[in-house]
Amino acid sequence: MKKIVIIGGVAAGASCAARLRRLDEKAEIIVLERGEYISFANCGLPYYIGGVIARRQNLLLNSPESLRSRFNIDVRIMNEVTSILPAEKTIEIKDLNSGDNYRESYDYLVLAPGAAATDPGISGSDRPNVFKLRNIPDTDQIKEYIMTRQPRQGVVLGAGFIGLEMLEMLHSAGLKVSLVESGPQVMRMLDPEMAAILQQYLRHQGIDLFLNAKAVTMDGETEAKSVVLEDGRSLPADIVVMGLGVKPENALARNAGLDLGPTGGVIVNDFLQTSDPYIYAAGDVIESSNFFTGEARHFPMASPANRQGWLVAGNIAGTSRPYPGVQGTSIVKVLDMVAAGTGQNEKDLQRLGQPYLCCHLHPSSHATYYPGASMMTLKLIFSPEEGHLLGAQIVGFDGVDKRIDVLATAMRAGLTIDDLQELELAYAPPFSSAKDPVNMAAYVAGNILDGNVDVVYWWQVAKRMEDGSILIDVRTPAESAAGMVPGAINIPIDSIRDKLDHIPRDRELMVYCRVGQRSYIASRILKQHGFNVKNISGGYLLYQPWQAEQNNK
């Protein structure tokens, strides 16, 4: 009979324990959790604080009692593992209720302690109205503070998942919110022009955005009353939430002599074994590999953690399957806007020196003649030869989740741009268009691959104009009068054939319209008449937020 001890009882740990029992009725399974709760919905914590999830009990997916009764698992909460002795296949444990220390042997050990909130050591961060959010007690403290103290101004540090979700909850509760991010943009999974759409939306919702900004201190006598930035600006604050990322809880592994990677995560092999073959690891504590590149990365998300825990159980029970790596599919809701991504972004590809092409388009969530349609911005990144998908990003309101999931599945299956054109996706006017946004993106990308159109991007336009390129706006005069890129010449698409003799043939032309469709037609006309013409990817709708964010720097 195998004895398996699991350290950590949330996503990876609980998933591992439950499947182990399903696979092996005779195994002795012990789950040790230093906190008061197991198997809670970590990703739902911000939504309980904001009242979207009304009942606290809904966050508790399982209890020690339910795991004992249904799965015959020995669950010990408030029991902290203090050390691992691999040579003896033994761990040392402290019962946090009684204060007693004891030992437990194992045949196999599973490390799933998760990750801890990053603490940059900001002066004043120990004040009672400065919070982190990682577990149920953190959630209770924040919610009680908001309900009893009724703060009016909040500051959120960090523009990742937790930061943006807490921003939404504080804003929805009526607080004036400032968001401070040390990097140049929100949501690092997005490329800058896609992040600009989300940033402009936040600004229009009344959120004060401070990018490339670093908090250095929190002033106040007993509570923090302001957050002071590195450049001296002071942001008033009745409550501060720190969402500055997480780091692997690797102390146990490090002290046990297990190998750690450059990200601080525990190194595991394809079967999620650590450098000790009797110790497995899963979830936020491990260093994963990129599914496409093999590059080491730390990806602390619930879906991979649950999958890894599931696989570890099978590998211990004898139904071994390898873990292929993390694809990086993620999504976040911020107020009414949604941002999602999968695969690699341009920043990653440029760092790796990998060639790529990309395109932007603005399809509607469903048929525009059916009520309620909204526009999204979709970006595809693909290889220039075979047209393999390398990454995708979408920012919009409705239908973002469906499309990113289709694209993530296509990437995992190794589909090409040609394959995406052939996908037969569900259509009815309330749900999509006859050409689904995924199909439309593939058509746009296919035109680039087939040489039907050459593209440039807005961040290249100014330099090309300095070098002599001509910028042509092919929208209607009324559209151009409402807002036009500086230096552009307006030649409406329906007049362009009549103006061919007035357009220089010895200079590069760059054309744009609202979303890129009319300018594509214009570029086809001009190209077939012998002009050197480039279509600007994403059109004026991509230019507006990108340029506005350039002006905010």
Side-chain angles (χ1 to χ4, degrees):
M1 181 177 71
K2 295 175 183 175
K3 181 179 179 181
I4 303 104
V5 178
I6 301 170
I7 302 174
V10 189
S15 173
C16 181
R19 187 172 189 237
L20 267 170
R21 175 57 73 221
R22 294 193 298 268
L23 295 175
D24 189 344
E25 180 62 22
K26 295 180 179 179
E28 182 182 359
I29 305 170
I30 301 172
V31 175
L32 300 166
E33 170 56 52
R34 69 184 175 187
E36 187 180 352
Y37 303 93
I38 64 159
S39 190
F40 61 86
N42 196 296
C43 298
L45 300 181
Y47 301 105
Y48 170 66
I49 292 171
V52 176
I53 297 172
R55 296 180 66 245
R56 180 178 181 273
Q57 188 64 29
N58 290 345
L59 298 173
L60 306 176
L61 307 178
N62 284 292
S63 67
E65 294 75 22
S66 67
L67 286 182
R68 288 190 192 105
S69 61
R70 178 165 298 180
F71 294 103
N72 189 27
I73 295 171
D74 182 358
V75 180
R76 305 175 193 175
I77 60 172
M78 303 300 290
N79 275 246
E80 181 176 11
V81 178
T82 55
S83 65
I84 302 170
L85 308 172
E88 302 175 30
K89 296 180 76 172
T90 301
I91 56 175
E92 295 181 335
I93 308 160
K94 181 173 184 177
D95 186 324
L96 299 179
N97 286 322
S98 67
D100 295 337
N101 296 295
Y102 66 99
R103 286 189 170 197
E104 196 73 62
S105 64
Y106 62 84
D107 293 317
Y108 293 99
L109 182 67
V110 180
L111 276 174
T118 301
D119 185 356
I122 300 172
S123 175
S125 62
D126 58 347
R127 303 288 171 82
N129 63 331
V130 180
F131 301 96
K132 299 173 185 175
L133 181 60
R134 286 298 295 165
N135 53 38
I136 296 288
D138 294 343
T139 305
D140 292 338
Q141 292 173 16
I142 298 173
K143 190 169 183 71
E144 180 182 10
Y145 188 88
I146 292 174
M147 292 179 66
T148 58
R149 301 296 294 274
Q150 297 184 336
R152 298 175 61 86
Q153 299 186 94
V155 175
V156 176
L157 304 183
F161 291 97
I162 291 294
L164 290 179
E165 288 166 357
M166 280 306 303
L167 175 152
E168 175 180 359
M169 296 303 105
L170 295 180
H171 179 81
S172 299
L175 278 73
K176 173 64 177 175
V177 184
S178 298
L179 178 64
V180 179
E181 166 57 43
S182 61
Q185 64 172 73
V186 304
M187 293 308 299
R188 294 177 184 177
M189 70 173 180
L190 299 175
D191 285 315
E193 79 281 13
M194 300 296 284
I197 300 169
L198 182 54
Q199 289 161 198
Q200 280 292 292
Y201 171 75
L202 291 174
R203 295 183 197 277
H204 292 153
Q205 299 303 310
I207 306 297
D208 291 332
L209 223 56
F210 298 88
L211 303 176
N212 286 313
K214 184 178 179 182
V216 294
T217 188
M218 299 177 192
D219 284 348
E221 295 183 5
T222 58
E223 292 188 342
K225 294 299 180 185
S226 63
V227 175
V228 180
L229 305 182
E230 199 170 35
D231 62 6
R233 288 178 291 181
S234 181
L235 313 179
D238 300 317
I239 182 173
V240 180
V241 179
M242 299 175 64
L244 296 169
V246 297
K247 58 183 180 181
E249 286 268 23
N250 62 14
L252 283 172
R254 183 178 63 250
N255 294 336
L258 301 180
D259 292 344
L260 304 180
T263 67
V266 178
I267 293 178
V268 293
N269 64 16
D270 290 347
F271 294 91
L272 298 166
Q273 287 172 299
T274 69
S275 50
D276 184 317
Y278 296 100
I279 302 177
Y280 290 78
D284 294 357
V285 74
I286 72 170
E287 179 174 281
S288 302
S289 61
N290 184 294
F291 175 77
F292 301 102
T293 67
E295 185 181 25
R297 64 179 303 183
H298 183 231
F299 191 72
M301 298 292 284
S303 294
N306 276 278
R307 175 64 177 166
Q308 292 156 12
W310 189 91
L311 286 170
V312 166
N315 293 340
I316 291 174
T319 58
S320 293
R321 293 177 66 177
Y323 182 65
V326 175
Q327 184 168 330
T329 304
S330 52
I331 189 167
V332 65
K333 174 181 174 294
V334 190
L335 302 179
D336 291 327
M337 183 164 270
V338 180
T342 188
Q344 300 164 89
N345 56 33
E346 282 197 72
K347 293 172 288 188
D348 292 336
L349 293 168
Q350 290 168 3
R351 177 173 51 80
L352 294 170
Q354 183 172 347
Y356 66 90
L357 294 169
C358 63
C359 66
H360 307 79
L361 64 157
H362 307 276
S364 294
S365 56
H366 59 255
T368 54
Y369 57 80
Y370 187 91
S374 63
M375 185 173 284
M376 65 182 77
T377 300
L378 194 159
K379 176 177 184 177
L380 278 191
I381 308 174
F382 47 97
S383 64
E385 290 84 20
E386 305 88 357
H388 285 295
L389 277 174
L390 302 176
Q393 299 162 39
I394 311 177
V395 178
F397 297 93
D398 182 44
V400 171
D401 54 343
K402 171 182 175 179
R403 275 66 189 212
I404 203 68
D405 283 343
V406 171
L407 291 167
T409 304
M411 288 184 64
R412 181 60 66 113
L415 301 188
T416 66
I417 294 300
D418 286 345
D419 296 325
L420 285 187
Q421 294 177 1
E422 300 296 336
L423 287 184
E424 187 176 322
L425 302 172
Y427 163 61
F431 305 106
S432 184
S433 301
K435 293 179 183 177
D436 187 86
V438 171
N439 301 127
M440 292 173 64
Y443 288 133
V444 174
N447 282 329
I448 297 172
L449 288 169
D450 293 341
N452 292 329
V453 62
D454 297 319
V455 294
V456 295
Y457 307 99
W458 282 113
W459 42 97
Q460 301 171 328
V461 168
K463 176 65 168 60
R464 286 176 177 265
M465 291 178 69
E466 288 177 8
D467 294 339
S469 296
I470 297 174
L471 182 61
I472 300 176
D473 182 338
V474 301
R475 297 174 299 163
T476 67
E479 289 176 284
S480 298
M484 192 172 177
V485 180
I489 302 167
N490 180 221
I491 306 177
I493 175 65
D494 294 336
S495 304
I496 204 159
R497 289 185 179 88
D498 299 330
K499 303 288 186 181
L500 295 177
D501 292 340
H502 302 283
I503 301 173
R505 292 181 174 272
D506 59 346
R507 295 167 67 180
E508 178 186 75
L509 309 179
M510 299 182 293
V511 294
Y512 76 91
C513 62
R514 182 170 178 263
V515 300
Q517 185 178 27
R518 284 175 289 176
S519 56
Y520 166 67
I521 296 170
S523 71
R524 290 297 301 154
I525 294 170
L526 292 166
K527 187 171 185 175
Q528 292 179 79
H529 281 276
F531 290 90
N532 174 18
V533 58
K534 305 287 190 298
N535 190 21
I536 302 178
S537 185
Y540 194 70
L541 280 186
L542 193 66
Y543 169 82
Q544 285 178 300
W546 177 78
Q547 185 59 52
E549 287 301 310
Q550 298 304 302
N551 296 337
N552 276 314
K553 289 183 177 180

